[in-house]
Amino acid sequence: MADEVILLDFWASMFGIRVRIALAEKGVKYEYKEQDLFNKSPLLLRMNPVHKKIPVLIHNGKSVCESSIIVQYIDEVWKDKAPLLPYDPYQRAQARFWVDFIDKKMYDTSRKTWATKGEEQEAAKKEFIEVLKTLGGELGDKPFFGGDNFGYVDLCLIPYYCWFYSYETFGKFSVEAECPKFIAWVTRCLQRETVAKALPDEKKVFEFVSVLREKIRVE
Amino acid sequence: MSKGEVVLLDCWASPFCLRAKIALAEKGVEYEARAENLFGGKSDLLLKSNPIYKKVPVLLHDGKPMCESTIIVNYIDETWPSPPLLPSCAYERAKARFWADFIDKKVFDAVCNIWKSKGEVPETAKNEFIEILKQLEGALGEKDFFGGDSLGFVDVIAIPLTCWFYAVEKFGGFKVENECPKFSAWMNKCMQRDTVARILPDPEKVYEFVITLRNMFGIE
């Protein structure tokens, strides 16, 4: 019996991109349903009544919410191909720690690089670079956070890359200048077809961020 | 059930440390709890084991450190599988992780918004706290525990926070029992479990600790 898999998502969401990459890594066929976040659909509100957010994975009618939880679910259900989390419980705890760190630190800090100005923006830039440097420290000399292979942490972090052009343009800084090793890791991830196909064009994201900035009246 | 040396860097009043202690007790794992003085000077071991956040709990298993209480409880469940805390079905596991994440995002902040209030606690803070408990009541449904018939992952994540509720009730001027009777009934069921009853500190002591914290932060 074929699985019915539906993804409620928004094209520019770094959280939705995580799920798209995970499904692609596992070769899972699914129906993508673009959501209007300014006018949420009854389906989204029914499937995620608690947070009312995307992404939501609907697997045979049952919804799974929160991107890192969805990715773990995908890894457990479609376990015969492309393992994302490590086998060893300690390594798994470390991978979960770093995804939790990314979830706690990347979004709010990165948002402030384009959504604020003046001193608040300067402070956000510094903090954002610090976060990338901390992640760079964890990566060390490994090709991926997962070691030799692309894994859970890589998958959860790389979607942010399509927003970097926006952070750098509005924040007036360069990630490559500040964290070259980080960009080297990005390049390796982008060589992966599942990643390259899932990330939207950074210029399109920039146009979207420009519209958002006007909506929240940053200038 | 020996499987190496287990050390927990701990603070008696921390609901996050209590999660790890209950999980270890449920699994029958012997461990050494080392009290950290969070205000007087954190130990070198803590600073080395958790350089990112410098917080408790930290679990060290054969010297290997792990941080963040929900991740620690997950690790304990995977390393000592019996009795299981997370369900065996992937979908139920995702649901359990969802509610653990909800609790992590919402409950302690709501608790702190109440006891950190200067003067009278705003109605919005009280209502937000009660609303969160009502959402958890919805998740509990008619079950005895979030885990079903017995204590599970979400119960272990949630129950330690309740020893701070007496303080919240005193400052907020309300009772959880009146506002959220189902939640209160769940709390009582958990407290009937030996592991929970002997590990959770006396809520009166937590209340005194909160008063100390308020004095430290200059809150009247």
Side-chain angles (χ1 to χ4, degrees):
Chain A
M1 196 190 76
D3 277 315
E4 186 202 49
V5 183
I6 299 170
L7 177 62
L8 307 183
D9 199 354
F10 179 72
W11 68 274
S13 161
M14 55 284 269
F15 305 104
I17 295 168
R18 290 174 170 178
V19 180
R20 285 175 243 164
I21 296 173
L23 289 166
E25 286 282 321
K26 301 289 188 173
V28 176
K29 286 193 168 59
Y30 66 99
E31 183 189 350
Y32 179 93
K33 288 194 180 188
E34 182 73 13
Q35 299 298 297
D36 179 353
L37 298 187
F38 301 106
N39 186 14
K40 292 178 181 179
S41 70
L43 180 62
L44 173 56
L45 297 177
R46 203 171 71 238
M47 289 294 154
N48 191 357
V50 176
H51 298 306
K52 305 174 175 52
K53 286 182 175 179
I54 57 89
V56 179
L57 190 80
I58 309 172
H59 184 199
N60 295 331
K62 297 195 284 195
S63 64
V64 184
C65 308
E66 293 301 300
S67 61
S68 52
I69 293 172
I70 297 172
V71 171
Q72 288 184 74
Y73 174 80
I74 290 168
D75 198 38
E76 289 172 10
V77 171
W78 289 279
K79 55 181 181 285
D80 296 330
K81 190 180 175 197
L84 298 170
L85 273 103
Y87 290 119
D88 173 64
Y90 179 71
Q91 296 303 328
R92 258 208 301 283
Q94 294 303 105
R96 287 183 176 127
F97 175 86
W98 286 104
V99 170
D100 179 70
F101 174 84
I102 291 160
D103 279 347
K104 281 181 162 84
K105 301 278 187 181
M106 286 287 284
Y107 186 76
D108 287 340
T109 310
S110 63
R111 189 179 180 279
K112 286 183 184 165
T113 63
W114 60 263
T116 64
K117 52 190 190 336
E119 275 179 35
E120 203 182 345
Q121 190 184 37
E122 283 305 307
K125 273 160 60 176
K126 283 202 176 75
E127 205 188 322
F128 180 70
I129 295 294
E130 267 317 301
V131 169
L132 293 189
K133 287 194 164 143
T134 303
L135 288 166
E138 170 56 21
L139 180 65
D141 294 320
K142 305 195 295 291
F144 298 102
F145 286 90
D148 289 330
N149 297 312
F150 182 82
Y152 182 56
V153 181
D154 306 278
L155 181 152
C156 288
L157 181 56
I158 192 61
Y160 277 93
Y161 179 66
C162 61
W163 284 66
F164 277 20
Y165 178 73
S166 304
Y167 305 152
E168 291 169 315
T169 309
F170 289 117
K172 297 190 180 46
F173 67 100
S174 158
V175 173
E176 181 145 28
E178 304 275 356
C179 314
K181 269 179 130 182
F182 192 85
I183 295 298
W185 164 79
V186 167
T187 309
R188 280 191 290 279
C189 289
L190 289 175
Q191 279 161 10
R192 216 167 168 74
E193 197 186 338
T194 53
V195 175
K197 280 195 167 158
L199 260 57
D201 186 327
E202 62 186 12
K203 300 265 168 36
K204 284 211 166 78
V205 175
F206 176 74
E207 278 167 27
F208 171 67
V209 176
S210 306
V211 168
L212 279 183
R213 282 177 99 243
E214 261 167 66
K215 274 201 155 126
I216 65 175
R217 294 176 179 276
V218 180
E219 290 303 338
Chain B
M1 219 177 302
S2 152
K3 237 195 213 181
E5 185 203 44
V6 182
V7 173
L8 183 72
L9 305 185
D10 179 40
C11 166
W12 71 270
S14 158
F16 307 103
C17 295
L18 292 166
R19 288 171 172 178
K21 286 168 150 172
I22 292 173
L24 288 164
E26 284 286 316
K27 306 287 188 168
V29 175
E30 282 183 21
Y31 65 96
E32 180 197 345
R34 289 193 201 164
E36 285 286 332
N37 182 352
L38 301 182
F39 307 109
K42 296 175 179 176
S43 73
D44 287 342
L45 182 60
L46 174 56
L47 298 175
K48 199 176 82 195
S49 304
N50 193 356
I52 303 285
Y53 301 117
K54 307 174 179 42
K55 286 182 175 182
V56 289
V58 176
L59 186 81
L60 293 123
H61 188 195
D62 287 332
K64 294 190 290 193
M66 269 155 289
C67 311
E68 294 302 297
S69 61
T70 305
I71 293 171
I72 290 172
V73 172
N74 215 332
Y75 173 82
I76 291 168
D77 197 39
E78 289 175 5
T79 306
W80 294 276
S82 181
L85 293 173
L86 274 158
S88 50
C89 154
Y91 177 70
E92 293 298 323
R93 250 199 317 280
K95 258 175 49 181
R97 288 190 173 122
F98 175 87
W99 287 108
D101 177 69
F102 175 87
I103 290 161
D104 274 346
K105 282 180 162 100
K106 306 267 189 179
V107 178
F108 200 61
D109 280 354
V111 162
C112 291
N113 280 343
I114 292 175
W115 69 257
K116 281 184 177 171
S117 296
K118 285 189 200 299
E120 197 166 324
V121 175
E123 282 303 305
T124 45
K126 283 194 253 185
N127 291 339
E128 204 188 313
F129 175 74
I130 290 162
E131 197 35 55
I132 288 164
L133 295 194
K134 289 204 156 116
Q135 284 186 287
L136 288 171
E137 281 184 333
L140 183 64
E142 300 305 316
K143 304 192 298 289
D144 282 349
F145 300 98
F146 289 95
D149 293 328
S150 57
L151 211 72
F153 186 70
V154 178
D155 305 279
V156 172
I157 295 301
I159 195 63
L161 293 155
T162 66
C163 68
W164 282 62
F165 285 9
Y166 176 69
V168 159
E169 287 170 333
K170 294 279 271 192
F171 287 113
F174 66 93
K175 280 192 161 272
V176 170
E177 195 179 21
N178 296 336
E179 304 287 342
C180 307
K182 263 181 135 181
F183 193 86
S184 188
W186 165 80
M187 283 168 59
N188 291 336
K189 282 207 186 75
C190 287
M191 290 305 287
Q192 281 161 20
R193 198 150 175 80
D194 177 59
T195 47
V196 175
R198 64 182 160 82
I199 285 168
L200 254 54
D202 184 346
E204 275 277 4
K205 286 214 166 68
V206 175
Y207 175 56
E208 283 163 28
F209 177 71
V210 171
I211 292 175
T212 310
L213 285 178
R214 280 170 61 97
N215 289 337
M216 270 176 62
F217 295 142
I219 303 168
E220 284 307 319

